[in-house]
Amino acid sequence: MRPFIPLISLAILHASGAHAQSFGDKGSEPGIPINGVFSAPGAHPDREDHKVYRVDFKCKKLGQLPKTEQKHFFSQKTITSSHGIVVGLSGSPTIADKKLKVPEKPLVFMVPYELDGANVLDKRDICPKPFVIYGTEEGYIFPYASYSETNAPGTAFAAALKLADIVSPLFALFQPMALPAAVATKLTAFKDTKGPIEGIFSLFDKAETYGQPFPLKTGKYAVHTTFSDVEIFVAGLDSIVDAKPTSLQEQFRKHVDSGQPINAAEAQTSCNTIAAALKNIGFSEDRDIPYALTYASTKLGSRAKMVECLGDDYTTAAISLGPVLWKWIPRSLTLNQAYIDDLQPTAFSKAKQRLIDLVVAFARIARGDPARSAEGLEQLKRRVTESVTIVDKTTDGIWPPPSEVKLPSSDIAARFTSLGFTRFGCLAPLSDSNGAGVTSSVASLLAIKPRTTAADFDEAIQLQAVFRKGLISQLFIFNEATWVAKNASLNDGYCENLKLKGAASASTNGRSVAIADHLE
């Protein structure tokens, strides 16, 4: 006799306004009837593009599992009855001649129970962990009932564990269909899943299976049988980093840990590409993306390179994440605001425009024209800190005592001018030949005291600029002749339209200075 419980369940669900449909009915053939009903109460809007969704499960036991043995009519072999649910993307499982075929992208395989009378495997209180999907890729929920003379209780559950081992809760987000391959390889290690998945679901070749797929959109879904209830919830996820419980966070880190290192020579470009791809999927810009970039960039091995990868915006966002991120990062690579404030440009090209602006501001102030001086002072305030520390590192003390003094930004140019240094220029990157490593600076310029007669030399000193919060906060003064010469040669001898050549060491009034011949 056909079971009547599905009809009662359907009637109740229809009366409540929920869509409901029976599944797994094998008619009068032997096996424990599960009386399966799938329902979709409430609204189920389509998933949206550029957005990630979390799928959660709630599981409940109903009554006692029977220990009634069922045998096949003819073979008299004991039949194992089991119930399961497969959830996945890209196509749906199909049943042909009672044989279940599962496509390549199942994400969850759960088996609440398997029983053959004498043996009962009860996993009804074990729910799958939450997993994440994205965008509009079609998904399915496939509840089924299966009956086998070969598969003993535990066979399907063991297969479900194998799938969970190779398909992580974030599996869907890190596949080539979701991310460009060049990006995905930096965030995860790819495994061949096609063969293993086919092997996992080959158990259904030895069983008769009854079920059908239902579309996975958003909202609530319910799978009811005589012995269990499973509810499935699909909802938008604002941030993986903030998800509770933190198992999704853990999976996020595992994926990034397994990825290939970012190319240090192209850190900024590579990280920009990764950020754009993650944003396209739906990862949050203020939480998930800085989390991923920071974790991935630790493989670069230096805080400076990490900041280069993150850029200004993501660096700020990463620091604000606090312990949720930084407790996983080695102390030697931890970023904080103090480090960022003192961070120097990573290359001369990063500092060059700021030094050009400094030269222009100094020059306009030094000219003495009131209007130009006022303009130069305003430009200067945009490139230097409110007060600037001058540090005289010359052997003869070019700067009046004390050798280290903090001046208001408005006084810097005037102080140089009062010492006769009225021309500025010859910007150059620092290398071993012109003072690299003496300070934390990567860039320098020359301050020049023009000659007063045709027989005199132009006196030049080198200034190395140190930054704080992106502004010049310190100027170190050096008068090493070879350093001055290198700055001049890198500019073909031109310093603010003043042609210099042949820097050498000379003595002026008993004081060693760096000099350069005036060309004309």
Side-chain angles (χ1 to χ4, degrees):
M1 181 173 65
R2 297 177 64 87
F4 61 91
I5 295 178
L7 300 178
I8 296 174
S9 301
L10 284 170
I12 295 171
L13 289 164
H14 279 300
S16 65
H19 166 73
Q21 190 167 340
S22 62
F23 70 88
D25 181 9
K26 67 193 301 286
S28 58
E29 295 183 29
I32 303 294
I34 69 165
N35 302 319
V37 177
F38 175 86
S39 64
H44 297 83
D46 289 335
R47 301 197 310 276
E48 299 175 11
D49 206 3
H50 311 298
K51 189 171 182 177
V52 295
Y53 294 85
R54 172 173 171 158
V55 183
D56 287 279
F57 296 82
K58 184 178 179 181
C59 305
K60 182 180 178 181
K61 293 182 177 182
L62 297 178
Q64 295 294 319
L65 291 171
K67 294 188 176 182
T68 305
E69 187 178 42
Q70 296 283 319
K71 292 182 179 291
H72 192 274
F73 291 129
F74 301 108
S75 67
Q76 287 300 296
K77 290 183 177 179
T78 300
I79 295 174
T80 297
S81 303
S82 67
H83 163 51
I85 303 171
V86 182
V87 183
L89 298 173
S90 295
S92 299
T94 58
I95 293 179
D97 194 25
K98 301 179 183 179
K99 304 300 180 186
L100 175 64
K101 298 296 180 184
V102 176
E104 291 181 25
K105 289 180 67 174
L107 300 178
V108 165
F109 178 23
M110 64 177 297
V111 181
Y113 52 87
E114 300 173 81
L115 57 160
D116 66 2
N119 302 301
V120 173
L121 184 79
D122 186 354
K123 301 295 182 180
R124 291 175 293 172
D125 54 355
I126 298 180
C127 262
K129 291 182 179 180
F131 69 93
V132 180
I133 56 178
Y134 77 98
T136 57
E137 186 177 2
E138 290 186 2
Y140 63 83
I141 301 171
F142 189 94
Y144 71 83
S146 188
Y147 304 90
S148 175
E149 298 176 18
T150 304
N151 299 330
T155 303
F157 185 75
L161 292 178
K162 288 181 181 178
L163 183 71
D165 188 51
I166 65 172
V167 176
S168 82
L170 301 183
F171 179 84
L173 304 185
F174 291 96
Q175 297 308 297
M177 192 170 188
L179 291 172
V183 171
T185 55
K186 301 296 186 294
L187 297 175
T188 195
F190 285 109
K191 297 181 289 188
D192 174 26
T193 57
K194 182 178 179 181
I197 286 174
E198 288 177 349
I200 288 169
F201 288 99
S202 65
L203 69 96
F204 290 103
D205 295 339
K206 302 173 183 178
E208 293 182 357
T209 302
Y210 304 83
Q212 69 180 90
F214 299 92
L216 181 70
K217 296 184 178 181
T218 63
K220 176 183 176 180
Y221 302 92
V223 177
H224 169 81
T225 73
T226 304
F227 310 109
S228 65
D229 270 333
V230 176
E231 293 179 332
I232 302 171
F233 306 87
V234 184
L237 179 62
D238 292 331
S239 168
I240 292 171
V241 169
D242 294 329
K244 301 294 182 184
T246 59
S247 59
L248 293 178
Q249 243 184 63
E250 178 186 355
Q251 290 298 324
F252 203 4
R253 292 192 300 274
K254 284 183 177 180
H255 274 282
V256 177
D257 272 340
S258 68
Q260 299 173 5
I262 295 167
N263 184 346
E266 300 175 351
Q268 186 175 26
T269 300
S270 294
C271 291
N272 285 343
T273 302
I274 292 171
L278 293 178
K279 178 176 172 57
N280 185 59
I281 291 176
F283 283 82
S284 63
E285 275 204 290
D286 59 337
R287 309 290 287 175
D288 296 341
I289 296 177
Y291 192 98
L293 290 180
T294 301
Y295 213 76
S297 66
T298 57
K299 297 174 186 178
L300 292 169
S302 86
R303 291 192 289 182
K305 278 293 183 182
M306 289 171 65
V307 173
E308 183 181 344
C309 165
L310 288 162
D312 292 342
D313 290 342
Y314 288 132
T315 296
T316 301
I319 290 173
S320 69
L321 286 172
V324 72
L325 167 62
W326 297 105
K327 69 181 178 181
W328 306 107
I329 306 299
R331 184 176 299 177
S332 61
L333 296 176
T334 297
L335 301 179
N336 53 46
Q337 198 57 53
Y339 173 79
I340 299 303
D341 289 347
D342 290 331
L343 191 65
Q344 300 304 301
T346 54
F348 173 66
S349 60
K350 305 289 186 182
K352 185 176 181 180
Q353 186 58 56
R354 284 173 273 184
L355 290 187
I356 290 173
D357 293 344
L358 179 72
V359 167
V360 171
F362 273 4
R364 290 181 177 178
I365 295 170
R367 292 291 186 269
D369 176 81
R372 284 296 189 186
S373 292
E375 187 179 52
L377 188 58
E378 288 303 312
Q379 290 175 325
L380 186 64
K381 289 178 179 178
R382 291 194 291 269
R383 285 305 187 191
V384 302
T385 51
E386 188 173 340
S387 60
V388 177
T389 300
I390 308 296
V391 183
D392 184 353
K393 304 294 284 187
T394 64
T395 55
D396 301 306
I398 290 176
W399 196 267
S403 59
E404 182 171 330
V405 62
K406 183 175 286 189
L407 297 175
S409 60
S410 57
D411 292 350
I412 313 169
R415 189 67 66 92
F416 276 107
T417 302
S418 70
L419 296 175
F421 294 97
T422 58
R423 307 292 286 268
F424 304 88
C426 280
L427 276 61
L430 290 176
S431 63
D432 290 340
S433 58
N434 68 335
V438 179
T439 69
S440 58
S441 178
V442 297
S444 62
L445 67 148
L446 298 185
I448 304 156
K449 184 186 294 185
R451 62 182 179 171
T452 55
T453 70
D456 289 337
F457 293 109
D458 297 295
E459 184 178 335
I461 54 176
Q462 185 199 63
L463 307 179
Q464 293 187 15
V466 174
F467 293 80
R468 179 171 172 76
K469 295 184 178 181
L471 300 174
I472 297 169
S473 63
Q474 292 178 291
L475 288 171
F476 288 79
I477 302 173
F478 299 93
N479 67 339
E480 294 291 333
T482 55
W483 297 3
V484 171
K486 183 65 174 179
N487 274 57
S489 67
L490 289 173
N491 290 273
D492 294 327
Y494 283 97
C495 296
E496 198 205 348
N497 297 320
L498 184 68
K499 178 69 173 178
L500 305 176
K501 71 172 184 178
S505 180
S507 178
T508 301
N509 298 325
R511 182 164 58 88
S512 178
V513 296
I515 60 171
D517 290 332
H518 199 290
L519 182 64
E520 52 182 327

